[in-house]
Amino acid sequence: VQLQASGGGLVQAGGSLRLSCAASGSIVYINNMGWYRQAPEKQRELVALISNSMTTNYADAAKGRFTISRDNSKNTVYLQMNSLKPEDTAVYFCMASLTTAWNKPSNTYWGQGTQVTVSS
């Protein structure tokens, strides 16, 4: 199983970016998908999660500015980030909790991370 993230980059404060993350491989079912981020010298933190039934959960820092969505037919999760701030600068990691066979428990897989830099 692989998670391939894309869409990061450099943007000015107030700008927008859209991150994408596609899961591929021997996948039977994906439960939660989401995004975490890690700034320099800080711990990785939750940004947003979305369940298979499209229930969403956001960190306080993301509420009102970020929108998470997913396309189950493509095993892909998105993060639309608007009104970006310099404090949003971090490496963003996608994750998926999924099963590779019906008789196996789910495991969490991580993407490689994509850099988001917001200049002031």
Side-chain angles (χ1 to χ4, degrees), residues 1 26-33 95-109:
V1 173
S26 181
I27 299 170
V28 170
Y29 179 82
I30 302 178
N31 187 7
N32 292 327
M33 301 187 82
M95 57 73 65
S97 175
L98 59 88
T99 56
T100 56
W102 287 115
N103 61 347
K104 291 185 178 180
S106 62
N107 286 309
T108 298
Y109 295 82

Side-chain angles (χ1 to χ4, degrees), residues 12-17 64-66 81-86 88 118:
Q12 288 189 332
S16 298
L17 283 174
R65 300 188 299 126
F66 295 0
M81 303 186 292
N82 299 328
S83 302
L84 282 161
K85 305 174 181 179
D88 294 318
V118 184

Side-chain angles (χ1 to χ4, degrees), residues 34-114:
W35 294 91
Y36 284 69
R37 68 186 183 186
Q38 187 167 16
E41 301 183 358
K42 291 189 176 182
Q43 289 190 335
R44 190 174 297 190
E45 62 179 9
L46 170 70
V47 177
L49 288 174
I50 185 167
S51 72
N52 185 274
S53 60
M54 307 300 174
T55 299
T56 58
N57 183 29
Y58 293 93
D60 287 344
K63 288 178 181 177
R65 300 188 299 126
F66 295 0
T67 302
I68 190 169
S69 60
R70 67 190 277 180
D71 184 336
N72 287 337
S73 68
K74 297 180 180 179
N75 290 340
T76 299
V77 62
Y78 307 95
L79 185 68
Q80 177 67 43
M81 303 186 292
N82 299 328
S83 302
L84 282 161
K85 305 174 181 179
E87 50 263 45
D88 294 318
T89 295
V91 177
Y92 284 69
F93 296 90
C94 61
M95 57 73 65
S97 175
L98 59 88
T99 56
T100 56
W102 287 115
N103 61 347
K104 291 185 178 180
S106 62
N107 286 309
T108 298
Y109 295 82
W110 293 89
Q112 81 283 10
T114 184

Side-chain angles (χ1 to χ4, degrees), residues 7-26:
L10 173 64
V11 64
Q12 288 189 332
S16 298
L17 283 174
R18 188 188 192 218
L19 307 182
S20 300
C21 177
S24 62
S26 181

